[in-house]
Amino acid sequence: MSASAPVPELADRAAACAERLRAADEVLLASHIDADGLTSAAVASSALERAAIPHEVVFEKQLDAERIAAIAETEYDTVLFTDFGSGQIDDIVPHEERGAFTPVIADHHQPGDADTEFHLNPLLEGIDGGSELSGAGAAYVLARALEGDGDNRDLARLAIVGAVGDMQDQDGELHGANAAIVDDGVAAGVVEGGTDLAVYGKQTRPLPKLLEYASDVQIPGVTNDHNGAVAFLDGLDVDCRADGEWRRWVDLTADERQTVASALVKRAVASGVPADRIDDLVGTTYTLTAEPEGTELRDASEFSTLLNATARYERGDVGLAVCLGDRDEALTAARTLLRNHRRNLSEGLEFVKNEGTTTEEHVQWFHADDRIRETIVGIVAGMALGAGGIDPRKPILAFANESDTEVKVSARGSGALVRKGLDLSVVMREASQSVGGDGGGHVVAAGATIPRGEVEAFVAEADRIVGEQLG
């Protein structure tokens, strides 16, 4: 490994994994299909390519015993798992023991009870995999160990997109091991971090839409209020239009941005928004300097959303191609998927606003049945938590039918709730297992699959656990 290992605690594990991969004739790279999983695959695939290691990439929405058995039936002797594998290690190791394949795991989720020789996971070295290192970050640590005479630090940009897509910037910036990866990206000239308005869409959205949809911090008369957002902008000493068209945040000068941001803070204060929420208006943004200004690929948050749009509709091939540099057919296809994704999210959010949530003592929930796709119901839940009429002080559980026998449940919280003790990964795992399902995830966002007919029992158990956590 190069002398400047990005995460020294993981250097030995990364070196062992890299050595095993170099010894392989060919590798099957299996990765999760979401923004973090796609960037994990892109980082790992790029590193394998540069190291001249032949490989094939496959994506799985869920890595269960059946899918692992199918992988074991392939001709590959070495399988690299990225952004999953640790939690499924109890199902992987028996195949390893019978000689089906040698697993190499680069993951950040909670490991199972078994272990294997080539296992790169921050949790095994006391680093928080929910907030300090994502799956793409683990893949990046491996990529740095794989580099020979070259330099894989340019891949830091994708690791950062993965971390942001995994919501590891909840406190306004990436920290811990993620911060070391940011430093690598800055040193390599592929990333810039800077303090800015912490709202989504700064590269692509016209200013009124930028403010109208910025629902993480509710500002009365601006958030979810198009006419209010227009009136707010028209009242500023900033020319927010150019040639009759609304400008975007990226089009404003530094002084103009400061004027808009200051006015937003003043409006929030005057409207009685709590001070800790106002602080959330400003955060660190990560710019991918090689991408053109005004495109969703230049901003880590917008890039991750584009990737999520490909993943939620089972087009991981498109997302991977964009990560690997395709700016023609793949990017066009991704943008089409994103438009479709936004329409579905908007319709899903309208459904939740119209139907409302059922409120328990500590949680709130809704069941979409088949009216919201199970792959996006969690995103809708997160959006709803910041929307008018939905209590932001209680975590939200969202149910959607996954099959004739199972229901998908997604849980979303907020940074404020996490600071009070909320851990949705524990809630989802324990509540789902209590009704014969299984689940997990991260403190602020998690998911599970449970049998149909067990929704009420699941809600009751989740409500009890959240009550204990928030005390």
Side-chain angles (χ1 to χ4, degrees):
M1 184 164 202
S2 73
S4 56
V7 186
E9 299 93 328
L10 297 176
D12 289 345
R13 290 181 180 273
C17 290
E19 189 175 343
R20 181 63 188 83
L21 291 170
R22 284 196 200 93
D25 291 330
E26 55 182 352
V27 173
L28 178 63
L29 168 53
S31 196
H32 192 211
I33 186 165
D34 63 2
D36 193 22
L38 288 167
T39 48
S40 298
V43 169
S45 178
S46 296
L48 290 169
E49 184 79 24
R50 294 172 185 181
I53 300 170
H55 64 283
E56 177 190 356
V57 182
V58 295
F59 291 103
E60 302 289 351
K61 190 166 70 172
Q62 195 171 350
L63 186 66
D64 54 21
E66 186 179 337
R67 293 307 307 145
I68 294 166
I71 287 171
E73 293 303 311
T74 67
E75 298 298 311
Y76 289 94
D77 293 329
T78 304
V79 181
L80 171 58
F81 296 95
T82 59
D83 196 35
F84 55 24
S86 293
Q88 298 79 19
I89 199 165
D90 295 343
D91 289 319
I92 291 172
V93 165
H95 293 287
E96 177 186 15
E97 289 175 342
R98 69 177 178 82
F101 62 82
T102 298
V104 179
I105 299 172
D107 191 10
H108 67 132
H109 295 93
Q110 190 66 44
D113 294 327
D115 200 8
T116 187
E117 185 177 357
F118 307 110
H119 192 182
L120 173 60
N121 185 314
L123 290 160
L124 297 173
E125 299 296 339
I127 298 169
D128 189 338
S131 63
E132 293 185 77
L133 194 71
S134 69
Y140 176 75
V141 172
L142 175 59
R144 289 296 312 280
L146 267 171
E147 67 189 18
D149 296 331
D151 185 347
N152 284 337
R153 288 184 305 165
D154 63 305
L155 300 177
R157 69 192 192 284
L158 293 172
I160 291 162
V161 171
V164 171
D166 212 49
M167 296 186 284
Q168 297 205 359
D169 59 343
Q170 278 293 303
D171 294 325
E173 65 178 344
L174 296 172
H175 58 94
N178 282 323
I181 297 175
V182 172
D183 290 343
D184 266 12
V186 171
V190 296
V191 174
E192 287 178 359
T195 302
D196 206 343
L197 198 65
V199 298
Y200 174 86
K202 293 191 292 292
Q203 291 287 330
T204 57
R205 282 183 172 167
L207 285 168
K209 286 199 179 299
L210 180 80
L211 301 185
E212 176 189 354
Y213 293 137
S215 58
D216 284 350
V217 180
Q218 297 278 319
I219 301 177
V222 177
T223 309
N224 298 317
D225 184 343
H226 181 75
N227 291 335
V230 169
F232 169 80
L233 290 165
D234 283 341
L236 301 178
D237 187 22
V238 173
D239 190 354
C240 295
R241 293 178 176 87
D243 300 324
E245 297 289 325
W246 285 102
R247 298 164 75 192
R248 301 161 301 180
W249 187 259
V250 69
D251 300 323
L252 302 181
T253 66
D255 286 345
E256 288 172 331
R257 292 181 192 179
Q258 186 61 49
T259 300
V260 177
S262 297
L264 265 182
V265 170
K266 284 179 185 171
R267 170 67 72 90
V269 171
S271 303
V273 177
D276 64 329
R277 302 296 293 137
I278 292 173
D279 288 344
D280 292 341
L281 275 171
V282 175
T284 302
T285 58
Y286 301 97
T287 301
L288 279 60
T289 54
E291 303 295 343
E293 274 203 353
T295 68
E296 55 276 87
L297 302 179
R298 192 169 170 86
D299 178 86
S301 178
E302 293 191 60
F303 197 150
S304 71
T305 298
L306 182 78
L307 295 180
N308 256 326
T310 69
R312 305 294 171 176
Y313 303 93
E314 285 85 48
R315 291 305 307 273
D317 57 318
V318 172
L320 177 63
V322 172
C323 287
L324 295 178
D326 187 328
R327 297 293 177 263
D328 296 315
E329 285 184 20
L331 182 55
T332 299
R335 284 172 169 160
T336 300
L337 287 164
L338 180 58
R339 283 194 295 273
N340 176 50
H341 182 53
R342 283 184 172 145
R343 185 170 63 250
N344 289 340
L345 291 178
S346 177
E347 291 171 359
L349 187 58
E350 278 306 305
F351 167 81
V352 179
K353 284 180 178 177
N354 292 336
E355 297 290 322
T357 60
T358 302
T359 302
E360 308 295 338
E361 191 173 355
H362 305 290
V363 301
Q364 56 190 321
W365 61 280
F366 67 88
H367 200 320
D369 292 306
D370 295 313
R371 284 168 286 190
I372 300 176
R373 190 182 177 99
E374 50 92 11
T375 57
I376 67 168
V377 73
I379 303 173
V380 172
M383 294 169 66
L385 201 58
I390 305 296
D391 188 352
R393 296 168 299 180
K394 291 184 177 181
I396 189 167
L397 309 177
F399 298 86
N401 295 334
E402 188 167 291
S403 68
D404 292 339
T405 58
E406 292 181 320
V407 174
K408 168 75 178 292
V409 52
S410 292
R412 294 293 185 272
S414 65
L417 287 167
V418 168
R419 287 191 287 272
K420 291 178 180 175
L422 180 71
D423 185 343
L424 289 175
S425 66
V426 171
V427 176
M428 290 291 98
R429 184 172 66 251
E430 294 185 359
S432 64
Q433 289 175 355
S434 76
V435 298
D438 201 11
H442 303 301
V443 290
V444 76
T449 300
I450 62 172
R452 284 203 184 195
E454 296 290 348
V455 170
E456 290 188 7
F458 174 89
V459 169
E461 181 63 6
D463 191 57
R464 182 192 69 77
I465 298 168
V466 172
E468 286 183 356
Q469 289 181 349
L470 299 181

